[in-house]
Amino acid sequence: MRNFINEVGQAIGIEQNTTSQLEKLLSGLGGFFGIGLCYLISNIYLTGPATLFIVASAGASAVLIFAVPHGALSQPWPVIGGHLISASIGVYCQQHLANPQFAAAAAVGLAIFAMYHLRCLHPPGGATALFAVAGGSHVIDLGYNYVVFPVLLNTIALVSCGILFNALFQWRRYPSHWFRRHQTRSLTGVKPSFRHINPDIAQEDFAAALHQMNSFIDITPDDLSDLFELASRSARRRARTPLTIEAGLYYSNAERGSDWAVREVLAIDGRRIQFRTAAGSDDSTDKAHYCSRRAFRQWARCKVIMSSGLWVPCESSNEGS
């Protein structure tokens, strides 16, 4: 049953969120200030429901800027360029295509195509293009002024708010280039640990891997390199000596891909261990298994705990046998 629930969760894309409660709170506060500013700006040029609809598009951008400030889709050019290009395409389609349904579909499709080629893919831009066609008379009457008032002013206000708000917290530097520069300064003189694991891996290899996947992924080669570095440090901190096996604790074999598994020790009877698989493809996760203490110690590489939906090494796993 547990295996089925995990499979369903992965299939429907339930996120494995590793952020702290403080990070979640700051994301919400940033969105509050950003949208409050956009609403004031939009209210100058639009009235009635039109104001709420245009702010709804900005609201989607606020989620990216304040909840994912280091994401590729959240950076200033995707935010500003994506909205402006989409708004322009939306106004053009509204003025030159007689059928409203066709104009709306064309506006969104052309906006996505243009954002891809101009390297400013920003999902909320689709809503901006659609709203230019289906926003009602208040928006249609603006014509191309819609691109500047309120779209341009809203995006500039959001990006400016993102820069100022995130600058208050050193781990939330925005744009992400400033965050990476801050990380680089803090890691000065530290040799990348992935070189010790595979000396052939270079920064360009991460870019090549992303290119070969042939699908837009909201992560940059620099982000991949940083993740690899942090994961390598975590690997070095793991126990290098045999672990103390205790009932009620979880252990991982520290493998990758389909070979990875996490086991929970249910009971220890002399030299015999009863366990179940808590995660991974190591047989059934609902059935108890038995093995010798020696066999389990040879399989286990580190103690792990569940944190924010992910299995992470337990610091206490550095104990001796």
PDB file of all heavy atoms in Angstrom, residues 25 27 53-54 85 144 154 176 222 263 267 285 291 314:
ATOM      1  N   LEU A  25       7.733  31.385   4.865  1.00  0.00           N
ATOM      2  CA  LEU A  25       7.168  32.643   5.359  1.00  0.00           C
ATOM      3  C   LEU A  25       7.686  33.831   4.552  1.00  0.00           C
ATOM      4  O   LEU A  25       6.903  34.721   4.159  1.00  0.00           O
ATOM      5  CB  LEU A  25       7.514  32.817   6.839  1.00  0.00           C
ATOM      6  CG  LEU A  25       7.086  34.151   7.481  1.00  0.00           C
ATOM      7  CD1 LEU A  25       5.572  34.314   7.419  1.00  0.00           C
ATOM      8  CD2 LEU A  25       7.578  34.229   8.924  1.00  0.00           C
ATOM      9  N   SER A  27       8.779  33.853   1.501  1.00  0.00           N
ATOM     10  CA  SER A  27       8.199  33.810   0.161  1.00  0.00           C
ATOM     11  C   SER A  27       6.809  34.430   0.158  1.00  0.00           C
ATOM     12  O   SER A  27       6.453  35.193  -0.749  1.00  0.00           O
ATOM     13  CB  SER A  27       8.131  32.362  -0.341  1.00  0.00           C
ATOM     14  OG  SER A  27       9.424  31.793  -0.425  1.00  0.00           O
ATOM     15  N   PHE A  53      -7.870  40.966 -12.937  1.00  0.00           N
ATOM     16  CA  PHE A  53      -7.369  40.001 -13.903  1.00  0.00           C
ATOM     17  C   PHE A  53      -5.904  40.259 -14.255  1.00  0.00           C
ATOM     18  O   PHE A  53      -5.106  39.327 -14.343  1.00  0.00           O
ATOM     19  CB  PHE A  53      -8.228  40.039 -15.176  1.00  0.00           C
ATOM     20  CG  PHE A  53      -9.571  39.382 -15.011  1.00  0.00           C
ATOM     21  CD1 PHE A  53     -10.724  40.039 -15.386  1.00  0.00           C
ATOM     22  CD2 PHE A  53      -9.682  38.106 -14.464  1.00  0.00           C
ATOM     23  CE1 PHE A  53     -11.971  39.441 -15.226  1.00  0.00           C
ATOM     24  CE2 PHE A  53     -10.920  37.505 -14.298  1.00  0.00           C
ATOM     25  CZ  PHE A  53     -12.070  38.178 -14.684  1.00  0.00           C
ATOM     26  N   ILE A  54      -5.538  41.512 -14.452  1.00  0.00           N
ATOM     27  CA  ILE A  54      -4.153  41.798 -14.813  1.00  0.00           C
ATOM     28  C   ILE A  54      -3.223  41.541 -13.632  1.00  0.00           C
ATOM     29  O   ILE A  54      -2.096  41.087 -13.787  1.00  0.00           O
ATOM     30  CB  ILE A  54      -3.989  43.245 -15.332  1.00  0.00           C
ATOM     31  CG1 ILE A  54      -2.592  43.425 -15.939  1.00  0.00           C
ATOM     32  CG2 ILE A  54      -4.215  44.258 -14.237  1.00  0.00           C
ATOM     33  CD1 ILE A  54      -2.290  42.525 -17.111  1.00  0.00           C
ATOM     34  N   ILE A  85       6.718  40.899 -24.354  1.00  0.00           N
ATOM     35  CA  ILE A  85       6.554  40.226 -25.638  1.00  0.00           C
ATOM     36  C   ILE A  85       5.170  39.604 -25.736  1.00  0.00           C
ATOM     37  O   ILE A  85       4.479  39.716 -26.761  1.00  0.00           O
ATOM     38  CB  ILE A  85       7.649  39.170 -25.812  1.00  0.00           C
ATOM     39  CG1 ILE A  85       9.007  39.860 -25.992  1.00  0.00           C
ATOM     40  CG2 ILE A  85       7.355  38.257 -26.991  1.00  0.00           C
ATOM     41  CD1 ILE A  85      10.186  38.953 -25.807  1.00  0.00           C
ATOM     42  N   TYR A 144      -2.066  49.274 -27.680  1.00  0.00           N
ATOM     43  CA  TYR A 144      -0.684  48.962 -27.331  1.00  0.00           C
ATOM     44  C   TYR A 144      -0.222  49.679 -26.065  1.00  0.00           C
ATOM     45  O   TYR A 144       0.860  49.376 -25.541  1.00  0.00           O
ATOM     46  CB  TYR A 144       0.247  49.294 -28.501  1.00  0.00           C
ATOM     47  CG  TYR A 144       0.232  48.229 -29.568  1.00  0.00           C
ATOM     48  CD1 TYR A 144      -0.523  48.392 -30.728  1.00  0.00           C
ATOM     49  CD2 TYR A 144       0.950  47.051 -29.412  1.00  0.00           C
ATOM     50  CE1 TYR A 144      -0.552  47.410 -31.700  1.00  0.00           C
ATOM     51  CE2 TYR A 144       0.934  46.051 -30.375  1.00  0.00           C
ATOM     52  CZ  TYR A 144       0.171  46.240 -31.522  1.00  0.00           C
ATOM     53  OH  TYR A 144       0.139  45.247 -32.481  1.00  0.00           O
ATOM     54  N   ASN A 154       4.106  47.109 -14.014  1.00  0.00           N
ATOM     55  CA  ASN A 154       3.928  46.019 -13.053  1.00  0.00           C
ATOM     56  C   ASN A 154       5.168  45.132 -12.978  1.00  0.00           C
ATOM     57  O   ASN A 154       5.618  44.752 -11.890  1.00  0.00           O
ATOM     58  CB  ASN A 154       2.722  45.171 -13.435  1.00  0.00           C
ATOM     59  CG  ASN A 154       1.425  45.715 -12.884  1.00  0.00           C
ATOM     60  OD1 ASN A 154       1.426  46.576 -11.995  1.00  0.00           O
ATOM     61  ND2 ASN A 154       0.303  45.238 -13.390  1.00  0.00           N
ATOM     62  N   SER A 176      19.774  35.725  -9.659  1.00  0.00           N
ATOM     63  CA  SER A 176      20.551  34.571  -9.197  1.00  0.00           C
ATOM     64  C   SER A 176      22.041  34.748  -9.455  1.00  0.00           C
ATOM     65  O   SER A 176      22.864  34.123  -8.785  1.00  0.00           O
ATOM     66  CB  SER A 176      20.049  33.294  -9.880  1.00  0.00           C
ATOM     67  OG  SER A 176      20.238  33.367 -11.283  1.00  0.00           O
ATOM     68  N   ASP A 222      25.186  26.045 -13.708  1.00  0.00           N
ATOM     69  CA  ASP A 222      25.791  26.474 -12.446  1.00  0.00           C
ATOM     70  C   ASP A 222      25.067  25.851 -11.257  1.00  0.00           C
ATOM     71  O   ASP A 222      25.696  25.446 -10.271  1.00  0.00           O
ATOM     72  CB  ASP A 222      25.746  28.002 -12.337  1.00  0.00           C
ATOM     73  CG  ASP A 222      26.744  28.676 -13.277  1.00  0.00           C
ATOM     74  OD1 ASP A 222      27.770  28.045 -13.581  1.00  0.00           O
ATOM     75  OD2 ASP A 222      26.484  29.812 -13.680  1.00  0.00           O
ATOM     76  N   ARG A 263      16.188   0.861   4.307  1.00  0.00           N
ATOM     77  CA  ARG A 263      15.599  -0.203   5.126  1.00  0.00           C
ATOM     78  C   ARG A 263      15.402   0.282   6.558  1.00  0.00           C
ATOM     79  O   ARG A 263      16.258   0.991   7.100  1.00  0.00           O
ATOM     80  CB  ARG A 263      16.507  -1.446   5.138  1.00  0.00           C
ATOM     81  CG  ARG A 263      16.628  -2.167   3.817  1.00  0.00           C
ATOM     82  CD  ARG A 263      17.624  -3.316   3.908  1.00  0.00           C
ATOM     83  NE  ARG A 263      17.707  -4.076   2.661  1.00  0.00           N
ATOM     84  CZ  ARG A 263      18.535  -5.097   2.467  1.00  0.00           C
ATOM     85  NH1 ARG A 263      19.363  -5.473   3.450  1.00  0.00           N
ATOM     86  NH2 ARG A 263      18.542  -5.738   1.313  1.00  0.00           N
ATOM     87  N   ALA A 267      13.630  -5.281  14.252  1.00  0.00           N
ATOM     88  CA  ALA A 267      14.035  -5.970  15.482  1.00  0.00           C
ATOM     89  C   ALA A 267      15.391  -6.632  15.282  1.00  0.00           C
ATOM     90  O   ALA A 267      15.779  -6.943  14.143  1.00  0.00           O
ATOM     91  CB  ALA A 267      12.996  -7.018  15.875  1.00  0.00           C
ATOM     92  N   THR A 285       7.883  -3.138  -0.040  1.00  0.00           N
ATOM     93  CA  THR A 285       8.029  -2.239   1.102  1.00  0.00           C
ATOM     94  C   THR A 285       7.087  -2.599   2.241  1.00  0.00           C
ATOM     95  O   THR A 285       7.140  -1.972   3.286  1.00  0.00           O
ATOM     96  CB  THR A 285       7.738  -0.792   0.671  1.00  0.00           C
ATOM     97  OG1 THR A 285       6.414  -0.735   0.123  1.00  0.00           O
ATOM     98  CG2 THR A 285       8.735  -0.319  -0.353  1.00  0.00           C
ATOM     99  N   CYS A 291      17.764 -11.200   7.771  1.00  0.00           N
ATOM    100  CA  CYS A 291      19.113 -11.468   7.295  1.00  0.00           C
ATOM    101  C   CYS A 291      20.037 -11.457   8.500  1.00  0.00           C
ATOM    102  O   CYS A 291      19.636 -11.068   9.604  1.00  0.00           O
ATOM    103  CB  CYS A 291      19.560 -10.440   6.251  1.00  0.00           C
ATOM    104  SG  CYS A 291      19.886  -8.787   6.922  1.00  0.00           S
ATOM    105  N   CYS A 314      21.901  11.043   8.264  1.00  0.00           N
ATOM    106  CA  CYS A 314      21.807  11.480   9.654  1.00  0.00           C
ATOM    107  C   CYS A 314      23.200  11.771  10.165  1.00  0.00           C
ATOM    108  O   CYS A 314      24.122  10.955  10.021  1.00  0.00           O
ATOM    109  CB  CYS A 314      21.140  10.386  10.500  1.00  0.00           C
ATOM    110  SG  CYS A 314      20.976  10.797  12.239  1.00  0.00           S
TER     111      CYS A 314
END
